[in-house]
Amino acid sequence: MNKITTRQNLIPLITFSIICFMYFGPITRTVFENIIISLIIIAANYFEYKGKLFSAIGLYREKFNAKNLLVIAPLLAFGLFSLYVIVLVPGIEMLTGVPIDYSSMDHLKGNLPTTITWILIVWATAAFGEEIIFRGYLMRQFIKFFGDSTISLVIIILIISSFFGYMHMQQGITGQLVAGSTGALFAIIFVIRKYDLWFMIMVHGFFNTIAFVSIYLGLA
């Protein structure tokens, strides 16, 4: 492991403190909170890595291509959503005895303009925002400090995915466990894809798009 400098210790500590304050502090949470945190992360990476603000979180220029982003990513997203519907949701509902709470999305049912608006919003706040925060930044920072051995990766994925699940509290305990499990799958794919964040952004975006279309059609 490369020697970690004081700058690479201090800047992540400050950034993580800001993230926690944004999520858990007295500030009123907004739908654009993840975008603000993502911009803070990009700025932090600029100072920590002396200008390499994008590659440090996995936004590699050479992996930005049509086959990865517009063919493989949507196909994988469809497969993951099928697993989500057929296995994860019913399995965890059976475990907890509590149905997943989608009530916060009731306004999408049969409402095309609202559904389109929210699809665009979640591409910005969830696909880009959550992937930059949870996979691109927090996961990469944990790996930087604790290494990428199998044991380290398992522990890191459990910690980050638990945090990711907790942040979906509006869906109830079942929704949090489902989100955490989905986040763990995303994290595993992130590792398998050698930390290609562009790919994860597209997978997450297409996954949410399929979910929102399903809600609009009354299938969820």
Side-chain angles (χ1 to χ4, degrees):
M1 185 184 298
N2 295 330
K3 183 179 179 181
I4 299 174
T5 65
T6 302
R7 184 182 68 252
Q8 290 175 319
N9 274 307
L10 186 60
I11 293 176
L13 181 61
I14 294 171
T15 306
F16 184 70
S17 299
I18 294 172
I19 292 172
C20 288
F21 180 77
M22 292 288 292
Y23 278 143
F24 306 114
I27 304 174
T28 301
R29 296 191 64 185
T30 72
V31 70
F32 298 108
E33 183 176 53
N34 284 344
I35 296 176
I36 296 170
I37 294 174
S38 298
L39 293 175
I40 292 170
I41 284 171
I42 290 171
N45 275 351
Y46 178 83
F47 292 106
E48 181 177 351
Y49 294 101
K50 298 182 178 180
K52 297 179 181 178
L53 61 168
F54 295 117
S55 61
I57 54 175
L59 295 175
Y60 304 117
R61 184 180 302 175
E62 63 272 15
K63 294 187 178 182
F64 189 85
N65 62 74
K67 181 181 178 182
N68 276 340
L69 306 184
L70 300 178
V71 178
I72 300 175
L75 288 174
L76 180 58
F78 181 79
L80 286 171
F81 186 75
S82 299
L83 180 68
Y84 174 90
V85 171
I86 297 170
V87 178
L88 280 182
V89 173
I92 294 177
E93 283 182 338
M94 186 181 299
L95 178 67
T96 63
V98 180
I100 193 168
D101 185 1
Y102 291 129
S103 60
S104 62
M105 297 295 161
D106 284 348
H107 61 291
L108 302 182
K109 294 180 178 179
N111 190 331
L112 185 59
T114 301
T115 299
I116 292 173
T117 299
W118 274 95
I119 286 174
L120 294 175
I121 289 172
V122 298
W123 267 94
T125 61
F128 278 88
E130 289 181 352
E131 288 306 315
I132 287 174
I133 296 165
F134 290 96
R135 255 68 67 183
Y137 190 72
L138 293 179
M139 191 169 169
R140 290 290 295 271
Q141 286 289 344
F142 272 68
I143 290 170
K144 181 184 78 179
F145 285 109
F146 302 110
D148 59 356
S149 68
T150 301
I151 294 176
S152 291
L153 287 174
V154 168
I155 295 172
I156 289 167
I157 288 171
L158 286 173
I159 292 172
I160 301 298
S161 300
S162 297
F163 187 21
F164 183 73
Y166 174 77
M167 298 308 296
H168 289 75
M169 61 190 74
Q170 74 277 7
Q171 295 179 6
I173 182 60
T174 299
Q176 288 179 300
L177 291 173
V178 169
S181 300
T182 305
L185 290 174
F186 283 0
I188 291 168
I189 294 168
F190 188 47
V191 173
I192 292 172
R193 295 285 305 187
K194 301 190 183 301
Y195 312 114
D196 179 4
L197 194 64
W198 284 122
F199 185 77
M200 295 313 305
I201 287 170
M202 298 304 287
V203 169
H204 198 150
F206 283 117
F207 182 96
N208 285 347
T209 300
I210 296 168
F212 276 43
V213 170
S214 298
I215 293 170
Y216 165 73
L217 295 173
L219 301 176

